[in-house]
Amino acid sequence: MKLYNLKDNNEEVNFLSAIKYGLGKKQGLFFPKYLPKFNTKALENLIKMNFIDRSTHILSHFISDEISLKDLKKQIKIAFSFTKPIIVPVTKNISCLELFHGPTLAFKDFGARFMAQMLSYWKNKNSIMTILTATSGDTGAAVAHAFYRMNNIRVVILYPKGRVSKLQEILFCTLGKNIHTIAIDGSFDDCQYLVKQSFNDKKLKKKIGLNSANSINISRLLAQICYYFEAFSLIPSKYHNDIVISIPCGNFGNLTAGLIAKSLGLPIKSFIAATNSNDTVPRFLKNGKWKPKSTISTISNAMDISQPNNWPRVEELFKRKKWDLNDLKSESVSDTETIQTIRELYKIGYTSEPHAAIAYKVLKKHIQKTDFGLFLGTAHPSKFQNTVEKILSIKLKLPNSLQSRVDLKNFSHNMKPDFLKLKKFLLKNI
Ligand SMILES: *Cc1c(COP(=O)(O)O)cnc(C)c1O
């Protein structure tokens, strides 16, 4: 698979390098040079397959020149060895695609686990590798669990202090061993900037075998394509041309994966990009001006991102496919509206959390009678226990994967958003 750098089109790499480097020169994102396309017959065949076989088949179209089908299937089987996505009806024409039944109860398990499997598959057994990642909540947990106890792979996770939920925190800060976590005195964007600075330091990068695991990593996006196909296979065929998907967006990785799925031939009618008050994209689509403001803390904290990293990929895809950016609906939802929506959903029998509720809210506003509306359930409600319990005045029962960690020791370090301090940490704990 050939990929090119969006900031420097002359830089071309294969999939293995793209996974390993994360970013290209000038911090450019990698993007596939060739996008396969399934015709109607191929799509029909794909839909009949089970999740593992289908995912192997789809991804093999991108990377079969770098890994055998047999090995790819083996890695995918380990990566996706948890409860598959399910579709839960919420209203007459709206359902939730629940992607949160993995080990860390968020959709990020798909991307993180696939990436971990691919990296460990290609890794030189004797060299050290450092996975440095910034998280606004769920990435940290997914990445930590995906790499936990892997030999010669060290994981360092930066997160904004006090801005991730307590339960999110215990999922990744209580593991220890090869998982190091640092609470940064700043926003998620500060954390992301520290990661970028580290990648810019060539000597450091080489010395500690630096790798990224943010949603900028192309392997994560590829893995996420697979559940859009799974969702399609779960929807009765009479609706196959009327599917509208609403996505709660932060870094816009999930949306990018959905759009790639569409470009491969999945006939999704339209996508909706829902954001919280960090509304850089909805404003941009309205007035054509890219003007990120400083990040606002909201109750949907995994989406508290004002400079969404994946946006250049979204634009590239629209350009390549000659799609019209005006067809992409995007709207922001305030905390007040989110709270109202969680209550509204609960009244009709569905317990949700802030991120999914935002997607539902915008979907409900735009859906037409004949549409099959799907909003993505990106995290399990109990990951936001305090928020949800307060809004609904109920007690949530924690799933076992969370309950079992509640009393464990938190191993996190504290740090100011200072690159030199981080560098020292990275060099010391090698
Ligand atoms: C990461 C995350 C999002 C945002 O996904 P992006 O791919 O970054 O747009 C939404 N909801 C939850 C619960 C998340 O963890």
Side-chain angles (χ1 to χ4, degrees), residues 36 41 193 355 364 426:
K41 185 92 191 82
Y193 187 58
H355 307 80
K364 189 153 173 264
L426 291 171

Side-chain angles (χ1 to χ4, degrees), residues 363-423:
L363 176 61
K364 189 153 173 264
K365 192 165 155 193
H366 290 286
I367 195 165
Q368 291 166 4
K369 265 214 181 81
T370 53
D371 288 343
F372 187 99
L374 205 57
F375 65 103
L376 302 197
T378 43
H380 194 289
S382 65
K383 259 189 135 166
F384 301 90
Q385 187 190 29
N386 286 346
T387 312
V388 175
E389 288 188 344
K390 220 163 94 198
I391 293 170
L392 296 177
S393 308
I394 57 165
K395 272 258 162 264
L396 285 178
K397 192 177 168 320
L398 293 186
N400 226 353
S401 45
L402 269 178
Q403 190 59 50
S404 62
R405 309 206 74 82
V406 168
D407 296 321
L408 299 181
K409 179 176 155 47
N410 184 329
F411 291 108
S412 272
H413 305 264
N414 286 303
M415 199 180 281
K416 292 246 172 329
D418 176 343
F419 173 59
L420 289 179
K421 289 214 167 74
L422 175 64
K423 185 171 173 175

Side-chain angles (χ1 to χ4, degrees), residues 105-108 136-139 168 215 220-221 224 247-255 302-303 305 310 353 355-356 377-380 383-384:
L105 306 171
F107 79 90
K108 295 196 168 77
S136 56
D138 291 331
T139 301
Q168 279 180 320
S215 59
R220 291 184 41 176
L221 297 185
Q224 288 171 238
I247 303 174
C249 293
N251 242 332
F252 285 69
N254 225 344
L255 176 71
M303 292 153 63
I305 296 164
N310 276 300
E353 51 74 45
H355 307 80
T378 43
H380 194 289
K383 259 189 135 166
F384 301 90

Side-chain angles (χ1 to χ4, degrees), residues 117-132:
Q117 287 309 316
M118 297 316 287
L119 271 175
S120 72
Y121 175 78
W122 275 309
K123 188 181 169 305
N124 175 342
K125 298 266 175 299
N126 302 316
S127 63
I128 180 91
M129 180 186 283
T130 302
I131 305 290
L132 177 65

Side-chain angles (χ1 to χ4, degrees), residues 54-260:
R54 184 190 320 113
S55 302
T56 305
H57 196 83
I58 294 168
L59 297 182
S60 76
H61 274 75
F62 287 96
I63 54 179
S64 62
D65 53 336
E66 292 174 63
I67 180 171
S68 74
L69 205 59
K70 190 164 146 258
D71 285 353
L72 179 61
K73 183 167 174 179
K74 205 168 111 206
Q75 301 306 108
I76 286 180
K77 221 170 163 174
I78 304 171
F80 295 169
S81 61
F82 53 89
T83 310
K84 286 188 316 174
I86 51 176
I87 291 185
V88 178
V90 172
T91 72
K92 221 162 119 197
N93 61 347
I94 296 182
S95 301
C96 181
L97 175 63
E98 293 188 352
L99 300 169
F100 52 70
H101 298 288
T104 70
L105 306 171
F107 79 90
K108 295 196 168 77
D109 282 324
F110 289 93
R113 291 176 64 87
F114 176 65
M115 184 178 79
Q117 287 309 316
M118 297 316 287
L119 271 175
S120 72
Y121 175 78
W122 275 309
K123 188 181 169 305
N124 175 342
K125 298 266 175 299
N126 302 316
S127 63
I128 180 91
M129 180 186 283
T130 302
I131 305 290
L132 177 65
T133 185
T135 182
S136 56
D138 291 331
T139 301
V143 167
H145 282 260
F147 287 98
Y148 188 44
R149 292 173 184 244
M150 278 187 172
N151 273 341
N152 274 339
I153 299 188
R154 177 179 69 147
V155 175
V156 180
I157 296 170
L158 313 180
Y159 64 101
K161 188 176 177 173
R163 297 198 200 180
V164 308
S165 85
K166 185 110 195 71
L167 290 174
Q168 279 180 320
E169 200 174 358
I170 62 165
L171 265 174
F172 64 99
C173 302
T174 56
L175 291 169
K177 303 225 186 311
N178 62 330
I179 311 297
H180 306 263
T181 53
I182 308 178
I184 298 289
D185 227 337
S187 69
F188 172 68
D189 290 324
D190 292 326
C191 298
Q192 243 176 193
Y193 187 58
L194 285 169
V195 172
K196 280 191 177 169
Q197 282 175 297
S198 309
F199 273 87
N200 273 351
D201 189 325
K202 292 225 169 66
K203 264 198 199 141
L204 174 73
K205 196 168 150 186
K206 188 144 184 234
K207 192 149 184 196
I208 62 172
L210 198 57
N211 272 270
S212 143
N214 285 345
S215 59
I216 49 175
N217 198 292
I218 192 75
S219 62
R220 291 184 41 176
L221 297 185
L222 290 189
Q224 288 171 238
I225 295 170
C226 301
Y227 53 67
Y228 288 95
F229 280 85
E230 174 70 9
F232 188 81
S233 79
L234 295 171
I235 293 172
S237 56
K238 63 175 173 180
Y239 298 118
H240 276 175
N241 290 314
D242 305 310
I243 302 171
V244 176
I245 302 183
S246 180
I247 303 174
C249 293
N251 242 332
F252 285 69
N254 225 344
L255 176 71
T256 310
L259 290 167
I260 296 178

